[in-house]
Each structure stands twice: as C-alpha cells, then as structure tokens.
Amino acid sequence: MKKLLFLICFLASLTATAQLNLKKTFKFATFYTAFNGATSISDVDIYSVTTGQLEQDVLETPFDYTFSVGLRKIKRFGYENRANVFYDGTEHSYADAATLGLVDGFEYLFEVDFQRQFGENYLNQNHFLRYVADNWVAKVEYNENGFVDIKYFEASQRFRKPIGEKFSLNIGTVQRLSKPYGYDPLSEWVLDNGSLHYTFLALEEMGYSISVQNGEYYDPDGNVVATSPEVWDEVVIPQVLSDYADKKQNEIDRTIEYSAVIGFDYYHYDKDFWLHSWGNLMPYHVDTDNEFSYHKYNNGQWLDYSGGLIFGYRYNKHLGVFLEGKYNKYWNREWHDFSLGLNYVIF
C-alpha cells in the first residue's frame, strides 16, 4: 500500500513538473497561420503566324500567394516593433538569423511558407531551436529556400566569451547535413573536346526516342515533343538536362560536413542609435573521404561564412537612416537580402 501511495505521489509530481515545464516552454509563444495574395504580372499577348494566318494567344500568370504556418518564441530586440496586432506571415526580421538572442535561455522558431511567385511554386522553411547560456550557446536549425535552391540541416555547439556587456566572441563546431553541393552529374557526359553528348544522354538515361524517318522526337511516354532539331536542342534538351541532374542528385544520400566555426556578436541599442551585428566563419572542414564530399569538388579546404547587420540612427526628431541585411555563402552558393533607406518627418 505504501509503495502504491508513493508511486501515485511520484507520478503526480512528474505530471505537475511536466505541466510546469510545458507552460514555461510555450509561455509568450505565438502560433500563427495566414494566407496572403496579390496580383501577379499582367497577361502578355503572344502573336504568331501559321501558314500566313495571324494567331494570337494570351499568356496568363496566376496570382501570387503565400500561405504561412508558424510558431515562434523570440524576444524582440529594442529596435524591433510589433507593427501589427496579429502575425500575418509577412513579418521579416533579420534578427532571427542572429547567433544569440536578446536574453539567455531557450528560444525557437518554426515557420513554413508555401509560395507562388510569377507562376512558380516555392517552399521555404526556417526552423531553429536555440539555447543561450552565460558561457555557451547551442543551436539546431533547418533552412530551405526554394527560390535560391538551398536546403540543409545545421547544428552548432559553441563556447561563448562575453567581452563587456555588448560584445562576445564564440568558437566551436558545426555539423551540416545537405545534398552533395558541388556534384555535377553532367560532367560525366562531357566529351574530350568539351562538348556535351546530350542527345545520347536523353536516349540512354531519360527514355526519349527519335524517329529518323519522321523527324520526330518522343518523350518516355511516347508523346511527340519536337518535330525539328532546333526545337529539340533549344526547348526539350534544357528540360532533359535539368531533370537528369535532379534525378542523379536525388539518388545520392545527403552528405554531412564537420566544420570548425568562429564568430562574434555585438548589440547596442538606445532610442536614437542602434547597432546589431553578427558573423560566422568556418575556415576548416573535416575531410571524411566521402565520395561526394565538397572537398572532392573544391580540391581541398574552403571558407564558408555568414553574417548580418542592423543599423539605425536618428539625427534629430525629423531625420533618420537605416541599414539592415544578411549574407550567406555556403559551398560557394550565395544568398542574401538587405534594406536601406532614409526617413524624414516633415512636421
């Protein structure tokens, strides 16, 4: 009986502790979902002449949209204002990419954006878990940007050395899991003279076929895709090469890179001047002798780096300037965004 009472009390204690931790984890967090739409580029009239007759067609582009789902718990920096009553999925904060948050402790972001822009569909994802302590920081994140074709997992563990109240240095290790960037499946089809044997590739690897008698080109399903060498070379082959490269890359398991990282973080804020900056440099990467390691395509070591800058200054009650941006360069792939400008209050 005593054991049973002890077990009941123990389980009750665990439940209460779990509920307390769960409340602490989600306290001040916000879940949001939103759909935003807008008119895309205008319709385009297309003219052609067939057997002497003028024909007209209209190229229509469906409306742009973004469907966002997210959960975030990130304390806003002093320069960040909540512009809207509700999160609508269009919020964009450069500070989300910073190594450190405004406060020590546990913060997170999970966001998925389904986007259509100029008729093209993209999937963007940004997820991270971050814990900042006095002398160390750990972070796990996943980034996918369909617009620039970058996708990877990243985990980092760093020793942190604060220098004063505003500046800190960090050093540690990073592990990144991604598809084999640098691998070019088409290089296997380049002839000694430097030309690409693309027709043979289409026939042997992608299932296309040619009727020499009829002068017609067929896709793997037997549909006619071209009736002349010009259309075959200029229209069909580019898509064939793209499909082949995607197919070969998807057949390869994701590769993992082990890297050393050094970085810094600086944050100052008052109502008239603020500066927030961070940077990360990966100067060394462990060569694991993987067949598809980036070492193979880069002939040794390389530098990966990322950073961000948020600056604002009010000269007086009328005039102010700002500059915000972030930049990434991983595996010689670059993506960045920035914003700068001037505000002048007339009265």
Side-chain angles (χ1 to χ4, degrees):
M1 186 64 180
K2 290 182 179 180
K3 292 182 178 180
L4 179 60
L5 290 175
F6 175 78
L7 179 60
I8 293 174
C9 292
F10 178 73
L11 292 176
S13 176
L14 283 180
T15 303
T17 301
Q19 290 177 344
L20 181 62
N21 291 336
L22 190 63
K23 288 182 178 179
K24 185 177 180 181
T25 299
F26 289 101
K27 187 176 182 180
F28 302 123
T30 302
F31 172 79
Y32 56 93
T33 178
F35 184 89
N36 299 276
T39 303
S40 188
I41 57 177
S42 61
D43 297 342
V44 178
D45 293 328
I46 301 176
Y47 300 95
S48 61
V49 177
T50 304
T51 63
Q53 299 295 316
L54 176 64
E55 296 184 0
Q56 180 180 357
D57 198 0
V58 178
L59 178 62
E60 298 180 352
T61 302
F63 71 94
D64 295 344
Y65 72 83
T66 301
F67 176 66
S68 303
V69 179
L71 175 67
R72 63 183 294 130
K73 181 183 178 182
I74 306 173
K75 185 174 178 61
R76 291 192 297 273
F77 288 89
Y79 52 79
E80 294 183 294
N81 294 317
R82 178 77 176 273
N84 301 318
V85 176
F86 297 102
Y87 283 107
D88 61 12
T90 63
E91 294 80 10
H92 180 74
S93 176
Y94 294 101
D96 289 347
T99 306
L100 306 179
L102 181 60
V103 295
D104 290 355
F106 181 59
E107 293 184 313
Y108 51 82
L109 169 68
F110 302 96
E111 181 170 302
V112 180
D113 298 323
F114 301 92
Q115 183 178 14
R116 182 168 68 196
Q117 185 175 1
F118 304 137
E120 296 290 336
N121 295 319
Y122 304 100
L123 174 63
N124 299 326
Q125 299 187 67
N126 185 15
H127 314 303
F128 73 76
L129 298 168
R130 176 177 63 201
Y131 190 89
V132 178
D134 290 338
N135 297 312
W136 59 275
V137 57
K139 187 176 183 181
V140 179
E141 60 185 311
Y142 174 73
N143 281 301
E144 178 177 358
N145 189 324
F147 191 75
V148 298
D149 189 27
I150 191 75
K151 180 167 57 176
Y152 63 92
F153 288 92
E154 179 175 301
S156 62
Q157 311 80 34
R158 313 186 193 198
F159 170 74
R160 175 191 176 199
K161 177 61 178 177
I163 303 175
E165 297 182 354
K166 302 178 180 180
F167 184 75
S168 68
L169 296 172
N170 58 76
I171 184 171
T173 59
V174 174
Q175 305 84 42
R176 291 174 296 171
L177 184 67
S178 69
K179 69 179 184 180
Y181 290 111
Y183 168 59
D184 181 12
L186 298 178
S187 62
E188 303 169 4
W189 293 86
V190 176
L191 303 176
D192 293 338
N193 60 6
S195 62
L196 180 68
H197 201 342
Y198 52 81
T199 295
F200 188 68
L201 183 155
L203 301 180
E204 293 296 317
E205 294 291 333
M206 301 301 290
Y208 285 78
S209 58
I210 303 174
S211 173
V212 178
Q213 182 178 1
N214 298 329
E216 295 179 335
Y217 300 77
Y218 304 92
D219 66 12
D221 296 325
N223 302 310
V224 177
V225 293
T227 57
S228 68
E230 291 77 15
V231 174
W232 171 253
D233 291 346
E234 298 177 13
V235 179
V236 180
I237 285 300
Q239 186 61 50
V240 171
L241 299 181
S242 178
D243 292 343
Y244 176 76
D246 290 341
K247 172 188 172 184
K248 296 298 290 185
Q249 288 181 339
N250 291 334
E251 290 176 353
I252 301 173
D253 293 334
R254 292 179 176 178
T255 60
I256 186 168
E257 298 282 359
Y258 302 92
S259 309
V261 62
I262 56 176
F264 76 90
D265 189 277
Y266 178 85
Y267 174 67
H268 166 81
Y269 173 78
D270 62 49
K271 65 178 183 178
D272 293 322
F273 171 71
W274 55 90
L275 177 62
H276 185 192
S277 181
W278 64 92
N280 302 284
L281 174 65
M282 301 179 200
Y284 178 79
H285 315 272
V286 177
D287 188 354
T288 58
D289 290 328
N290 186 296
E291 179 182 358
F292 299 102
S293 169
Y294 192 71
H295 289 82
K296 305 297 183 183
Y297 314 115
N298 196 64
N299 298 320
Q301 295 294 331
W302 71 96
L303 293 178
D304 283 341
Y305 47 87
S306 63
L309 173 68
I310 299 173
F311 164 80
Y313 181 65
R314 292 191 177 98
Y315 291 95
N316 50 50
K317 65 179 181 180
H318 297 286
L319 180 63
V321 296
F322 66 92
L323 170 63
E324 302 177 333
K326 59 182 180 180
Y327 178 86
N328 293 76
K329 182 175 180 292
Y330 281 7
W331 307 291
N332 282 325
R333 303 178 70 87
E334 301 177 71
W335 65 102
H336 55 81
D337 53 340
F338 66 89
S339 176
L340 60 94
L342 177 150
N343 285 186
Y344 185 83
V345 179
I346 299 176
F347 297 106

